[in-house]
Amino acid sequence: MAKRQPTFACQACGAVTNRWKGKCEACGGWNTIVEETGAMSPMAGPVATRPSRAKGRIFALEGLSGETKEAPRMPSGIGELDRVTGGGFVHGSVILIGGDPGIGKSTLLTQASAALANQGHRVAYISGEEAVAQVRLRAERLGLGQSPVELASETNVEDIIATLSQGRPPALAIIDSIQTMWTETVESAPGTVTQVRGSAQALIRFAKTTGTVVILVGHVTKDGQIAGPRVVEHMVDAVVSFEGDGGHHFRIMRAVKNRFGPTDEIGVFEMSDQGLREVTNPSELFLAGRDLATPGTAVFAGMEGTRPVLVEIQALVAPSSLGTPRRAVVGWDQSRLSMVLAVLEAHGGLRLGQHDVYLNVAGGLRISEPAADLAAAAALISSMSGAALPNDTVYFGELGLSGAIRPVAQAAARLKEAAKLGFATAVMPNPRGDAKERMPLAASSMGHITDLVAGIAASRPRGKPALRRSEG
Ligand code: TYD
Ligand code: MG
């Protein structure tokens, strides 16, 4: 047998080269290239392992119209989880779930596996990180010690597949985590790109042939990406991220990719001493402990998928001692903040050049909707002017570069949720013609950012600096 050439693979993107380099040319990552024996070529997939045939098999081509059954689903009974998967796990699908260490991935999956096992499904939980005793201890703490989940602490993919293939294939198999797995078909060390890809490939093949739902737990790197090759994300049917931060009890589950369901739904959980509890009304949670009388906070009526979520946006605008004032944002987009600040300067008359600006979405939620522009602007104006916003008002609307406040989707759902939670007024864009009647609460429609600035400045307490005062 010929001696294998050493190959080098980027641990971030999976690109393969024939010599070591400091920088990966494919993804631009530094120090990500590592020598791997027996690395596959970038194009190697199931194709490369298939025996070559002189002639292809003839298969029938079909039309778009035809009879197709809805993918059979297996609901876990945990409502927030089923919402994210799109109504339950699809048989034979593979889900990659990523999240920071200690966020609660193993806890959630223990709860999900127990729920399915209690329904009578065969469920296997394979931990490559913890001993069986540890997994058992966690299950006991969660009050799930009696669930008929089959446990093992294993890392060899061939052994795992051989074991699971015995008898009735499991309905659900959890692999915690994919980075600890290794396959004999690849020579490199566990955790390397080639091993992760090889192991994932074998497990995906197992899922597709047996109809078992396979959930792969993936580690997350410092910058929030699922560690190991991005290619695994392309190979699986769904990628779910589990987010939250240490300082808060709630955890948000978000589908990043989903071949069998929506990607804009979120599931909200709260970490308690009995594991993860479902949060069916996230708005109440995100608004709990709201500071009512301080300037600089505004309630945003947002949407996460089909679900309205009310959340508090906090801003702090303070004179800066730095040459270049600081702009920091948590839970929102930095460039979106820059844009809102530019619009406030250009069209709202605010002078922010000598001020530090901090913006925070309370509760650790991450917002990506442009509809939050108006709430962020209101919070910023309020902080700068020292005028607290009325605490029974919600804000939503997109800000254009011209200062125009533009309509956003699903206004009715936002208003309904706000009314349900006791809010009396909504500051929002001018509604489109047909949506004017039947408002569940008083709407204060605005067409331009100047209306918002004027409205807030009018409620400014005496003795506070005027907005238009120039600095220095
Ligand atoms: P874990 O599921 O082990 O996290 P991951 O698998 O994502 O690394 O969760 C660990 C954290 O969750 C740990 O800090 C303890 C906490 N926890 C609770 O607060 N309550 C519980 O009932 C359980 C099981 C864990
Ligand atoms: Mg874990």
Side-chain angles (χ1 to χ4, degrees):
M1 199 175 129
K3 191 172 175 293
R4 285 200 205 203
Q5 288 285 323
T7 43
F8 298 84
C10 171
Q11 302 297 302
C13 72
V16 176
T17 64
N18 54 9
R19 65 190 176 83
W20 189 86
K21 291 172 191 162
K23 183 184 179 187
C24 171
E25 279 167 11
C27 70
W30 287 94
N31 281 329
T32 53
I33 293 182
V34 166
E35 178 175 348
E36 291 191 0
T37 38
M40 288 179 276
S41 80
M43 297 313 291
V47 181
T49 53
R50 214 178 281 161
S52 64
R53 257 174 295 182
K55 252 179 163 183
R57 177 177 58 86
I58 312 289
F59 56 86
L61 296 163
E62 293 177 42
L64 275 176
S65 65
E67 228 177 284
T68 309
K69 277 179 280 169
E70 169 81 70
R73 286 182 188 271
M74 188 169 61
S76 67
I78 302 175
E80 295 294 299
L81 175 63
D82 292 339
R83 175 197 291 278
V84 174
T85 53
F89 301 121
V90 174
H91 292 288
S93 67
V94 181
I95 299 166
L96 177 67
I97 163 163
D100 289 331
I103 204 79
K105 302 181 292 295
S106 306
T107 306
L108 179 72
L109 293 175
T110 306
Q111 290 178 256
S113 47
L116 281 167
N118 289 343
Q119 290 175 30
H121 295 291
R122 186 182 169 206
V123 178
Y125 191 111
I126 313 293
S127 179
E129 303 193 332
E130 292 165 298
V132 169
Q134 277 174 290
V135 181
R136 209 178 269 151
L137 215 65
R138 181 189 286 116
E140 261 162 38
R141 194 138 52 89
L142 297 169
L144 302 168
Q146 300 309 312
S147 296
V149 176
E150 297 172 33
L151 281 184
S153 177
E154 276 299 330
T155 54
N156 181 300
V157 170
E158 280 75 27
D159 294 351
I160 292 170
I161 291 176
T163 308
L164 297 185
S165 303
Q166 276 185 320
R168 175 168 67 112
L172 174 70
I174 288 164
I175 306 293
D176 189 0
S177 65
I178 186 67
Q179 274 86 8
T180 54
M181 296 294 142
W182 64 282
T183 160
E184 283 154 17
T185 57
V186 177
E187 285 168 31
S188 37
T192 53
V193 115
T194 330
Q195 273 294 357
V196 170
R197 182 164 47 190
S199 305
Q201 221 159 52
L203 289 163
I204 291 168
R205 210 175 306 128
F206 170 74
K208 300 297 167 198
T209 49
T210 58
T212 299
V213 176
V214 173
I215 299 185
L216 307 173
V217 174
H219 289 177
V220 160
T221 57
K222 277 193 288 285
D223 50 353
Q225 302 214 333
I226 293 176
R230 294 306 298 269
V231 275
V232 174
E233 295 190 24
H234 297 293
M235 288 153 63
V236 298
D237 298 304
V239 180
V240 170
S241 75
F242 203 41
E243 307 162 357
D245 65 71
H248 292 108
H249 288 300
F250 32 92
R251 306 281 182 262
I252 292 155
M253 181 175 234
R254 200 186 285 272
V256 181
K257 155 182 171 176
N258 194 349
R259 286 186 185 149
F260 301 111
T263 53
D264 53 1
E265 294 287 359
I266 60 166
V268 185
F269 297 90
E270 190 179 10
M271 182 61 99
S272 69
D273 48 3
Q274 270 124 45
L276 290 154
R277 233 173 24 83
E278 288 178 62
V279 176
T280 40
N281 193 343
S283 303
E284 269 170 21
L285 189 75
F286 290 129
L287 293 181
R290 196 151 65 93
D291 205 349
L292 295 174
T294 31
T297 66
V299 176
F300 166 51
M303 294 294 296
E304 291 286 347
T306 56
R307 171 152 67 166
V309 176
L310 265 53
V311 60
E312 185 185 62
I313 294 188
Q314 307 170 338
L316 179 64
V317 181
S320 177
S321 55
L322 303 169
T324 311
R326 200 185 285 267
R327 269 98 178 84
V329 52
V330 178
W332 205 41
D333 189 18
Q334 181 89 45
S335 49
R336 205 81 210 166
L337 173 66
S338 307
M339 195 207 80
V340 170
L341 291 176
V343 172
L344 286 174
E345 288 228 32
H347 304 288
L350 268 70
R351 299 282 167 266
L352 295 157
Q354 314 269 306
H355 286 79
D356 289 334
V357 174
Y358 301 89
L359 195 85
N360 178 36
V361 178
L365 189 69
R366 189 163 51 78
I367 297 179
S368 52
E369 264 192 300
D373 291 354
L374 197 63
L380 290 164
I381 299 167
S382 161
S383 172
M384 178 123 190
S385 66
L389 300 170
N391 56 37
D392 60 352
T393 302
V394 295
Y395 296 81
F396 64 90
E398 186 180 342
L399 216 52
L401 285 180
S402 64
I405 298 169
R406 300 165 45 177
V408 295
Q410 291 164 296
R414 297 172 201 267
L415 292 171
K416 207 169 132 209
E417 174 82 356
K420 200 173 86 188
L421 287 165
F423 286 87
T425 313
V427 174
M428 55 182 284
N430 290 322
R432 298 193 180 101
D434 53 337
K436 278 204 181 88
E437 73 275 12
R438 285 204 299 123
M439 289 279 184
L441 40 73
S444 163
S445 312
M446 292 184 177
H448 199 268
I449 189 73
T450 45
D451 303 340
L452 183 70
V453 176
I456 297 172
S459 61
R460 176 170 52 90
R462 281 164 186 276
K464 284 280 180 179
L467 285 174
R468 282 181 177 278
R469 196 191 70 167
S470 57
E471 302 302 321

